[in-house]
Amino acid sequence: MKDESAFGDYSTDEFGQTDLVSNHTVFKDQHYYRALVRGHDLPVETFSSFIHEATHHWCFISPVGTALSLLYLSIAKKVLRWLVTGEEDQLKEALDDRAAFDIAVRWLRPLSEGLAQFAEYDVLPPYSGPLLSPPLTATLTHLFNLPRLVSEAPENDRTPAFYRLRDDINRWRLSRQTIERKSELLLQPIAVERSAYLLGYLTVKQLWRSAQRFYKELKDADVFLMFIRKLVWADYSLVAELLDRRQPGLRRGLRFGQALHRNLYAIRQMNFDEDVPWSQWEELLGASMVKGPSPLNAADPRAFAGLDTVELVAQGRQLQLEYFREAAEPFQFASEEFPFPQTYFLDLLSERNLMWLGQMDAKWESTGPKVGRIVAEDGVVYERFNLTQSDDRDLNDLYLDIYVDLYSEYQLTTVGNERGVFGFATREELSDAVKSDLMKKRLDRSQTAKLTALIHNAMQTYVRDTNYGEQLDKFWKDGGLELLNDSYLGFAFNFNDQARSAINENGLADVLQNDGELVRGVSAITLASSAEMSPEEMVLTCADLSLDPQEIVRRVRELWPEESLPVASINPDGFLISAF
Amino acid sequence: MEQIRVFGLSRLETLDLKKQFPEAEITFESVGSDVHQAELVTAALVGVSLIGLQALAAWLMKNREQEKIEKTIEVVQPDGTRRMERFTFQMSKSTSQADVVKALAEMTKVDVTKLLQTE
């Protein structure tokens, strides 16, 4: 992948980045994933980055994520048309849409990062229960070969495999690297204009703690992850607020933010718990694992609607379909000077379900007519590869792109060269429907990345010459930013004003007397608390770090009086607890 | 006061450095405030003083196994003007913190003698 730096809007961190528009993920540690082509297991340290980015991917393919992508592509199409033809008639609408897009993305950012970090630090394979989120399923299946572990157990019981993987993940979480990464999170500023990370993470964490009081099943962090995603990212009433062009863009953005806040409030209050039995939630959340028939609902085949949002949900679905038709229309303004592929927009939308893990170089060695072996630096990758869509004349240098589909649970490697992609291989036997779907896709990420960069630049070029930036700044300065912070701050501290005022620009640093070692100790306890460990278990798990949880808890007790929001404590049953 | 702007120095490492060099002035800035930026990768601003340079040197030398220190840093003048510098330093077993401080001072064109007089 030669050009992957400039995308429309993305979630980015030290692991990599996931582009909201194309759902293209670029990992910084992508060399690890080359082992997947040969079916090898990956080291446990890949857990954090994979599940973090997979969670972004899963959110971005939701109804709200897809709506944002469609909105962006609609704007892009109008701007490209202007670039090629000079016609300005659609630009006002494009700018208006852009305002709705930018505000909504910023409003979602804390939640987006909060969920990804919650997956990274709190989600574990379950002790029991049928639900498993797509990011966790993909992590266990593709990185740690869950099917093989299960097949080794008597009667294909997955429980022993889950116990083993829980232990591996817990040991990784209590390693120095993860403890220090979590420490960095706890030291982030709390205001959204400085950082979205701690604010988002604490919001998700407190909502999780609160939700367990209503449904015991939500004690499982992975099930809660599915639950909160469904109630926010899969809510078509938010899609309706975002895409309804009868409202000006700024207002659409604001209404989207208010609706998001309402949904978070609903999760905290859970006024529906007595009317909706858990079995109904289980059915709805489990339905997300059924293969989706179209790019619009790959991970959410069943729409979710609250009792009071049925109409808005119907409107959101209708609007999304209209935007999809608009975006999927071939781009007809390409010319010799501007050779933009007509099907770019449809290609991008139809490939958003695939998560790209990286690329590797390889060589072609012919062994017969249209048959050959594919060889990488460290040996043969495919011994007998049949060419069905290309001949082998002049075939030499190749590149292999590695993907997983989080929603249909398969792994895919495409084979291509500078002329494009001409074949693919999978380790699993794919259904005819999936094969047929794959054959229709272009699967050329280099091209997608290049064209998406071009679109992004075109948008920037246009926006730069308008007063759009000033208008948006004014929106945030005139109360937007305050509202955005207020949308999260109450939840993040469980409406405990004293706790809220103690955490500021330096996160927990001031509370913990700027003592780096104490911060590390507290971070370790927060991680051990999610794994339901006792102090003794924690010491055994990270014996090499010489941590003394009892002493850390004693020190924190003197520094943090808020017992309802514990930083590091021990409950009456002798287990470590933390709200952070 | 002049400042040195550097990427990669984490908040946790800063707490450790401040324990060793309590007088060092280290702050953080967000890299842009819009959604296009990485927020966990923030830039640290180290105030240029003898203690500040010592703290920076201690951080750069954290990995004693490395043969060479290579780091791009930015010197920010009190009037806000900035200039980028590439700091390279060949490490050996006998390298001391004072050697790295001296090299940092030379590169940033800071007069160490003057710093010594003021501290």
Side-chain angles (χ1 to χ4, degrees), chain A residues 188-192 195 198-199 202 485 489 492-493 503-505 507:
Chain A
Q188 289 293 301
I190 198 70
V192 76
S195 170
L198 185 59
L199 182 61
L202 290 183
N485 271 312
L489 275 168
F493 294 100
I503 311 284
N504 48 33
E505 191 144 317

Side-chain angles (χ1 to χ4, degrees), chain A residues 8-10 12 106 109 180 183-184 187-189 192 194-197 456 505 514 516 519-520, chain B residues 9-13 15-16 19 28-30 32-42 62:
Chain A
D9 232 305
Y10 52 79
T12 179
R106 194 165 189 192
R109 185 79 194 273
E180 294 202 339
S183 301
E184 207 56 30
L187 296 173
Q188 289 293 301
V192 76
R194 301 292 312 278
S195 170
Y197 283 80
H456 182 57
E505 191 144 317
N514 294 300
V519 173
R520 284 181 181 88
Chain B
L9 173 56
S10 73
R11 290 172 189 268
L12 185 62
E13 288 170 324
L15 292 187
D16 295 340
K19 201 169 181 181
F28 286 87
E29 63 178 22
S30 296
S33 59
D34 67 21
V35 292
H36 297 270
Q37 301 296 326
E39 289 163 294
L40 270 180
V41 189
T42 46
K62 196 175 162 191

Side-chain angles (χ1 to χ4, degrees), chain A residues 245-294:
Chain A
R245 284 194 178 117
R246 289 174 302 181
Q247 303 285 341
L250 292 176
R251 189 174 301 160
R252 279 152 62 194
L254 184 61
R255 286 175 64 110
F256 178 91
Q258 288 168 331
L260 172 59
H261 177 255
R262 268 201 307 276
N263 286 14
L264 295 179
Y265 196 73
I267 293 167
R268 184 170 188 275
Q269 294 300 99
M270 214 81 89
N271 287 331
F272 44 79
D273 68 310
E274 287 181 5
D275 300 323
V276 187
W278 179 253
S279 56
Q280 278 187 32
W281 285 112
E282 197 170 276
E283 205 180 315
L284 180 71
L285 300 175
S288 66
M289 288 175 277
V290 176
K291 280 167 207 157
S294 93

Side-chain angles (χ1 to χ4, degrees), chain A residues 424-440:
Chain A
F424 64 82
T426 57
R427 295 215 159 254
E428 306 90 345
E429 191 54 43
L430 299 179
S431 70
D432 289 345
V434 171
K435 262 190 218 163
S436 149
D437 184 47
L438 281 172
M439 295 296 280
K440 288 180 209 149

Side-chain angles (χ1 to χ4, degrees), chain A residues 70 77 318 320-329:
Chain A
L70 289 168
K77 230 171 184 178
Q318 181 58 32
Q320 196 183 65
L321 200 59
E322 286 167 22
Y323 273 70
F324 177 74
R325 286 192 189 119
E326 182 192 327
E329 281 281 305

Side-chain angles (χ1 to χ4, degrees), chain A residues 81-96:
Chain A
R81 179 172 171 262
W82 161 73
L83 262 181
V84 181
T85 66
E87 290 171 21
E88 295 184 343
D89 53 310
Q90 293 183 340
L91 291 179
K92 191 172 174 296
E93 186 174 86
L95 269 193
D96 211 41

